[in-house]
Amino acid sequence: MKRLYYIFLLAVVMASCARMGSPDGGWYDDDPPRVLYSMPAEQATNVTTRKMTIYFDEYIKLADPTQNVIVSPPQLEMPEIKAAGKKINIELQDTLVLNTTYTIDFSGAITDNNEDNPLGNYTYIFSTGEQIDTFEVAGHVLNASNLEPIKGISVGLYADLADSAFRTKPLLRIARTDGSGRFCIRGVAPGDYRVYALQDVDANYMFSQKSEMIAFSHQTYQPTSKPDIRQDTIWRDSLHIDNILQVPYTHFYPDDIVLLAFQEEQTDRYLLKTERKDADRIGVYFSYGNQQLPILRGLNFDADSAFIVETTPKKDTLTYWLRDTLLVNQDTLELSMEYLMTDTLGQLVTQIDTLELVAKTPYAKRLKAKQKEYEDWQKEQEKKKKREEPYDSIFPVKPLEMKYEVKQSMDPNRSVYFESPTPLAKLDTAAIHLYSKIDSLWYNAPFEFQRCDSMLRRYELIVDWHPDTEYSLEIDSAAFVDIYGLASKPYKEGIKVKSLDDYATLQMQLSGVSGQKVIAQLLDSSDKVVQEASMESDGTAQFYYVTPGTYYMRAFVDYNDNGQWDTGNYDADLQAEDVYYYSRDIELKAKFDVSLQWKLTERKRNQQKPGKIIQQKPDKEQKRKQNRNAERARQLGIEYVKKQTLK
């Protein structure tokens, strides 16, 4: 028995010793797969086969090849590209073009099967001619409206320098942008080229739909190269550098193209839908607005003076409010609608549709719900009677629920807004009172009350607020009455206007753009506009009553002087209006006046927008995986040096 005990004890000790040599968690396999060979060989010439196979040293995965793998010249028929164990099989469906360099760009789509270590920007190259074209063209694609990097947009070249090529011919060579908006078109032959970006909706590699985001430039580029030296940093871990190597390489130009992509305004007009979700209104939705509103004619009711029409500013969304409650209670409305639509030739023509609009909730069901509400109220009043509590003898009338946008702590440059849930039939401004408190006494304060431009149910109370002053906004009952006779309840709200000591002031001196109207926008950390100011004749943009904090700034050149940023149009040879970003954040403190200078064109566009407010972040998954062993080493308190593969 004792002998068995010693044997068991020895086994436990041996197992314990074995575990001591293995760190908890172990090391990660951070080596990417390696290409062993391919058929045809990489950079092979005079290739005639459309089938290729690439072999690797381990099992691999290929992430969504239809989206992530780019073949140049672009293939009109989708190639078959599949991973199978330790190889990738490629079969091109289009006929091979003679004397042409082909590139199959896998980007970061190839990873090993176990740890998802990415191979990196791998491109398989071959030629159907006697030589391989080796030039590269690179740069960035940004959203023209906010300089955000655009990921996944196609960028291509044309040797045909005519403007019509983008509309009539497939792109000659293409690449796609990564998470930083960067592209690199490989296998380019010597010559003159134009560069375009295209969010290719219909996969025909040319600009054919207005819904496609595009970028274009009339500048031509001649690809070149020269020997160069770069510094490769070998990191011991994420904080310490082990060595810096001087590595010779071939530098290809141009490598700094910046394309500003935009989507054209949708001007084709067609009816999207009509609906009657609520019994008291009809919704009509168009793809594009027009000053000439549709004409509605009733088929089972009299449509004369039956509607109050509410439109959005662009007049692409229309709401027809029913004035008469008898029509509101009518479950089905049959009518004809005459409106303008775009035909196949792009011309506006008259279209007449017959509509049958059914209320989502039938009148009988709505009536039953009201009856139940009345019965529940009666029961509640009977209970109050029995408990000898105060009760109502008359069923309360539903009030008009006005929406008041009033801040108790008010900025001196802000207004108060009112919004009605339904169109108003009566608005009594004499029932609106504003009082200001001066030396403990309340006095009438002047104000202006008006309807907001192009908005049927929204109103603005404009006040010349005095800083560090208390106000009281008081509204009598029935100040607002809607078209169905519902009246508003009384309303009262105290307002305290902030002191000037609570704010900062910013003056930005703008330069770099002359003879044009420039609008500067103060932005928060979400890239949203906080304040907007036009550049004055002395080149300054002034921002007052700014709450202390960290801000950013954007400006755009308002070429058509309409007060808003406008997109471009390819056929009209019109670029989107120029947008610029101040490259640093702006720290504003209370009671401080800050003056800054900004030359809008000082930096290239891809270097302007501060990284803290860029929403489209660079791809970080590969870097995270590469750092896993460095983090593991730091946990164990030992040194770790990552193996480097120099290219």
Side-chain angles (χ1 to χ4, degrees):
M1 189 71 179
K2 184 179 292 187
R3 184 179 180 184
L4 290 174
Y5 172 79
Y6 284 121
I7 292 173
F8 173 77
L9 184 62
L10 180 62
V12 170
V13 171
M14 291 177 66
S16 176
C17 291
R19 282 196 299 271
M20 288 175 64
S22 175
D24 185 23
W27 299 103
Y28 295 99
D29 171 17
D30 59 359
D31 290 324
R34 291 189 303 110
V35 176
L36 296 178
Y37 62 95
S38 59
M39 298 177 61
E42 284 197 45
Q43 301 200 16
T45 56
N46 297 312
V47 173
T48 58
T49 180
R50 288 184 288 174
K51 293 183 178 181
M52 300 91 192
T53 305
I54 305 171
Y55 295 88
F56 297 86
D57 65 341
E58 60 179 314
Y59 289 99
I60 55 95
K61 293 189 293 187
L62 182 61
D64 194 2
T66 57
Q67 293 296 319
N68 296 325
V69 181
I70 304 296
V71 181
S72 274
Q75 305 293 289
L76 295 178
E77 191 171 347
M78 186 66 67
E80 292 184 7
I81 303 175
K82 298 178 181 178
K86 296 183 179 181
K87 62 183 179 179
I88 292 177
N89 295 318
I90 304 164
E91 183 173 356
L92 303 181
Q93 305 299 315
D94 289 2
T95 302
L96 295 178
V97 181
L98 296 177
N99 299 315
T100 300
T101 296
Y102 278 74
T103 60
I104 303 177
D105 185 357
F106 290 90
S107 187
I110 301 172
T111 61
D112 66 25
N113 194 57
N114 296 322
E115 294 289 347
D116 286 336
N117 293 308
L119 175 58
N121 293 321
Y122 172 64
T123 302
Y124 173 72
I125 302 177
F126 67 90
S127 176
T128 58
E130 296 287 343
Q131 64 182 23
I132 297 287
D133 295 320
T134 59
F135 286 132
E136 298 177 3
V137 174
H140 289 81
V141 181
L142 309 177
N143 191 315
S145 66
N146 56 12
L147 302 194
E148 276 286 311
I150 300 178
K151 181 179 180 179
I153 193 170
S154 298
V155 186
L157 303 178
Y158 280 113
D160 185 342
L161 304 183
D163 293 342
S164 59
F166 197 28
R167 285 285 199 184
T168 57
K169 297 180 180 180
L171 290 161
L172 186 64
R173 305 201 68 80
I174 63 169
R176 278 208 189 106
T177 54
D178 61 16
S180 300
R182 184 161 180 81
F183 67 89
C184 181
I185 305 172
R186 298 180 172 89
V188 181
D192 294 336
Y193 298 95
R194 280 188 179 180
V195 185
Y196 296 79
L198 173 66
Q199 203 170 55
D200 196 8
V201 174
D202 49 11
N204 64 355
Y205 302 102
M206 66 181 76
F207 179 38
S208 55
Q209 298 186 31
K210 285 188 175 181
S211 59
E212 295 175 324
M213 179 174 274
I214 61 168
F216 71 95
S217 170
H218 293 306
Q219 184 173 351
T220 59
Y221 298 93
Q222 294 180 329
T224 59
S225 66
K226 70 173 185 179
D228 207 341
I229 300 291
R230 72 163 181 258
Q231 291 185 341
D232 272 13
T233 303
I234 300 179
W235 293 86
R236 178 174 294 117
D237 52 42
S238 59
L239 298 176
H240 303 91
I241 295 174
D242 186 71
N243 196 6
I244 298 178
L245 304 178
Q246 303 293 317
V247 181
Y249 76 106
T250 301
H251 195 151
F252 294 98
Y253 298 94
D255 64 349
D256 59 351
I257 298 170
V258 177
L259 296 174
L260 300 173
F262 61 86
Q263 191 170 349
E264 292 187 355
E265 189 174 13
Q266 174 59 265
T267 56
D268 290 341
R269 178 176 167 83
Y270 51 89
L271 182 64
L272 295 173
K273 66 175 181 177
T274 57
E275 64 181 12
R276 194 181 172 200
K277 290 174 64 176
D278 297 288
D280 58 0
R281 72 202 79 166
I282 296 170
V284 180
Y285 304 87
F286 289 96
S287 61
Y288 190 74
N290 192 280
Q291 292 298 319
Q292 184 175 325
L293 300 182
I295 300 172
L296 272 57
R297 298 182 178 91
L299 301 179
N300 66 344
F301 68 99
D302 184 4
D304 292 341
S305 302
F307 304 109
I308 294 177
V309 185
E310 179 179 7
T311 70
T312 55
K314 292 185 177 181
K315 292 183 169 52
D316 53 0
T317 300
L318 313 173
T319 303
Y320 290 82
W321 293 88
L322 297 167
R323 294 176 182 269
D324 193 340
T325 53
L326 292 176
L327 290 179
V328 174
N329 296 335
Q330 187 171 323
D331 285 341
T332 303
L333 297 177
E334 297 175 1
L335 51 89
S336 69
M337 184 170 70
E338 180 181 327
Y339 61 94
L340 294 176
M341 66 168 288
T342 306
D343 65 8
T344 55
L345 299 176
Q347 303 297 317
L348 285 175
V349 297
T350 300
Q351 171 78 13
I352 299 177
D353 291 345
T354 300
L355 306 175
E356 184 178 86
L357 297 164
V358 181
K360 186 176 181 180
T361 306
Y363 174 65
K365 190 173 182 179
R366 285 179 276 140
L367 188 62
K368 188 176 180 179
K370 287 183 179 179
Q371 182 64 32
K372 186 178 185 307
E373 184 182 350
Y374 177 72
E375 291 171 356
D376 291 343
W377 172 82
Q378 277 187 318
K379 291 177 182 178
E380 182 62 29
Q381 302 313 308
E382 289 296 329
K383 290 179 182 179
K384 287 183 178 181
K385 267 189 190 180
K386 291 178 181 179
R387 295 195 299 263
E388 296 183 351
E389 296 177 0
Y391 65 91
D392 298 321
S393 58
I394 301 175
F395 185 64
V397 178
K398 182 182 177 181
L400 178 65
E401 297 292 347
M402 293 291 295
K403 180 181 178 182
Y404 300 100
E405 296 179 20
V406 183
K407 290 189 175 182
Q408 293 180 339
S409 181
M410 180 69 67
D411 295 326
N413 59 339
R414 302 297 180 193
S415 295
V416 172
Y417 293 94
F418 304 170
E419 191 168 311
S420 173
T422 49
L424 296 180
K426 174 192 170 186
L427 194 165
D428 185 6
T429 56
I432 302 174
H433 313 281
L434 183 68
Y435 304 101
S436 61
K437 188 177 183 181
I438 303 174
D439 296 333
S440 74
L441 297 177
W442 292 94
Y443 297 89
N444 284 312
F447 63 86
E448 293 181 21
F449 189 82
Q450 63 185 28
R451 195 172 79 180
C452 296
D453 290 341
S454 304
M455 304 185 77
L456 177 67
R457 298 176 290 112
R458 188 171 175 82
Y459 301 86
E460 181 180 14
L461 185 78
I462 304 171
V463 184
D464 184 14
W465 304 106
H466 291 185
D468 201 19
T469 301
E470 290 183 47
Y471 289 82
S472 178
L473 176 62
E474 301 176 16
I475 301 174
D476 301 338
S477 60
F480 308 103
V481 181
D482 76 353
I483 57 176
Y484 306 119
L486 298 182
S488 60
K489 299 181 293 185
Y491 175 84
K492 183 177 180 179
E493 183 65 75
I495 301 170
K496 176 63 183 296
V497 180
K498 295 179 183 178
S499 168
L500 294 180
D501 290 344
D502 294 331
Y503 299 99
T505 300
L506 172 64
Q507 176 179 281
M508 183 66 79
Q509 184 73 41
L510 305 172
S511 63
V513 177
S514 60
Q516 301 290 345
K517 180 181 178 181
V518 177
I519 296 179
Q521 297 172 323
L522 195 64
L523 311 171
D524 63 15
S525 58
S526 300
D527 204 22
K528 293 181 180 178
V529 178
V530 176
Q531 275 196 45
E532 190 172 273
S534 295
M535 183 178 71
E536 299 175 7
S537 57
D538 61 355
T540 61
Q542 308 278 353
F543 298 89
Y544 301 101
Y545 308 122
V546 183
T547 301
T550 302
Y551 294 91
Y552 303 85
M553 185 162 289
R554 174 174 65 212
F556 68 91
V557 183
D558 189 15
Y559 289 108
N560 60 1
D561 198 19
N562 67 349
Q564 64 184 24
W565 179 84
D566 291 293
T567 189
N569 184 285
Y570 183 76
D571 292 333
D573 194 21
L574 185 66
Q575 295 283 355
E577 290 182 331
D578 287 317
V579 171
Y580 303 92
Y581 272 78
Y582 187 65
S583 60
R584 296 179 292 278
D585 57 19
I586 302 170
E587 190 71 33
L588 298 179
K589 298 180 180 180
K591 298 192 288 186
F592 277 80
D593 294 341
V594 176
S595 295
L596 297 172
Q597 294 186 346
W598 177 20
K599 184 178 180 181
L600 285 81
T601 56
E602 185 176 11
R603 292 171 173 241
K604 292 181 72 70
R605 304 294 180 89
N606 62 302
Q607 300 171 353
Q608 290 187 6
K609 191 168 186 177
K612 291 181 180 179
I613 59 172
I614 292 178
Q615 305 298 313
Q616 175 59 59
K617 300 300 183 183
D619 302 321
K620 293 183 177 180
E621 184 63 12
Q622 180 175 356
K623 184 177 180 181
R624 182 189 70 79
K625 289 175 179 174
Q626 289 174 344
N627 287 337
R628 291 181 302 182
N629 278 335
E631 293 296 326
R632 184 74 188 125
R634 189 157 50 247
Q635 293 171 7
L636 298 173
I638 62 177
E639 183 176 83
Y640 171 77
V641 178
K642 175 73 174 73
K643 298 188 293 294
Q644 301 290 310
T645 301
L646 302 180
K647 298 180 180 179

